[in-house]
Amino acid sequence: TRFAILIPAHNEERLLPELLASLYALDYPRVMYDVYVVADNCTDHTAEIARNMALEQNAVMEGGFAPIVFERFDTRQIGKGYALNWLLQQVRSASSGSAPVDAYVIFDADTIVSPNFLRVMDARLQQGENAIQGYYAVRNPTQSWGVALRYAALAVLHFLRPLGRCALGGTAGLK
């Protein structure tokens, strides 16, 4: 499966490098996925950091790895939904004439991706799945009681509730 990984990022200069590092470490054929970052209405160095990190990784990694970075400035249509729609248009324009994309993956900039993520998604798509949600949780749940509470709430919302709905024959919904 050929993937396009989409990352909307608004002022994420501190967290984006961790996500990109985890994407560099994916255990999946490098030619089968592209990474696209939209630095959306940023007032920090998100786009510059993504571009610089790509250059650093290309210098040390065989085959190279470079996220394609777009910058979007729109003060009327603000938010992640607008940024993703705009990015999707850019990706489709940029990839016309190249190998077709089979599936899109969306990550928030504060995500860390498991090295086998794309292999698992590929296997599920090959089994006929149309849409798949990866597990979404809070990092460092032992950091404080507030973080632990958010971790528990997300576990109920993104794990326990979908299991119950599926057991009853319902849909799980995407979050």
Side-chain angles (χ1 to χ4, degrees):
T1 304
R2 181 165 180 69
F3 292 95
I5 298 173
L6 311 179
I7 305 167
H10 173 71
N11 291 343
E12 296 285 1
E13 67 184 7
R14 288 184 356 189
L15 297 173
L16 185 60
E18 278 188 278
L19 169 58
L20 293 177
S22 69
L23 293 175
Y24 297 145
L26 285 171
D27 177 26
Y28 198 73
R30 181 57 206 104
V31 297
M32 295 303 290
Y33 68 97
D34 292 306
V35 177
Y36 299 89
V37 176
V38 56
D40 184 44
N41 290 312
C42 291
T43 57
D44 68 357
H45 301 284
T46 296
E48 180 182 339
I49 285 171
R51 287 186 185 107
N52 287 342
M53 191 169 180
L55 292 173
E56 291 168 17
Q57 292 297 325
N58 274 329
V60 297
M61 292 185 67
E62 186 176 321
F65 180 95
I68 300 152
V69 181
F70 294 96
E71 291 186 75
R72 176 181 177 270
F73 299 97
D74 188 329
T75 56
R76 291 179 304 109
Q77 296 182 318
I78 298 172
K80 191 181 298 186
Y82 290 114
L84 281 170
N85 282 331
W86 183 86
L87 179 58
L88 193 53
Q89 290 173 356
Q90 305 311 306
V91 168
R92 288 179 175 153
S93 294
S95 61
S96 63
S98 60
V101 171
D102 300 309
Y104 293 91
V105 178
I106 301 169
F107 289 120
D108 281 342
D110 62 349
T111 303
I112 296 177
V113 182
S114 174
N116 69 338
F117 183 84
L118 289 183
R119 288 204 180 275
V120 171
M121 294 299 114
D122 175 54
R124 297 290 297 273
L125 290 168
Q126 298 303 322
Q127 293 172 3
E129 299 286 343
N130 291 321
I132 308 165
Q133 166 111 17
Y135 187 66
Y136 178 60
V138 173
R139 280 197 266 172
N140 303 325
T142 59
Q143 179 180 340
S144 70
W145 69 268
V147 175
L149 187 58
R150 282 191 294 278
Y151 176 82
L154 283 176
V156 169
L157 182 64
H158 295 297
F159 183 71
L160 187 59
R161 183 177 176 205
L163 282 179
R165 291 181 78 172
C166 286
L168 296 172
T171 59
L174 296 176
K175 305 290 180 196

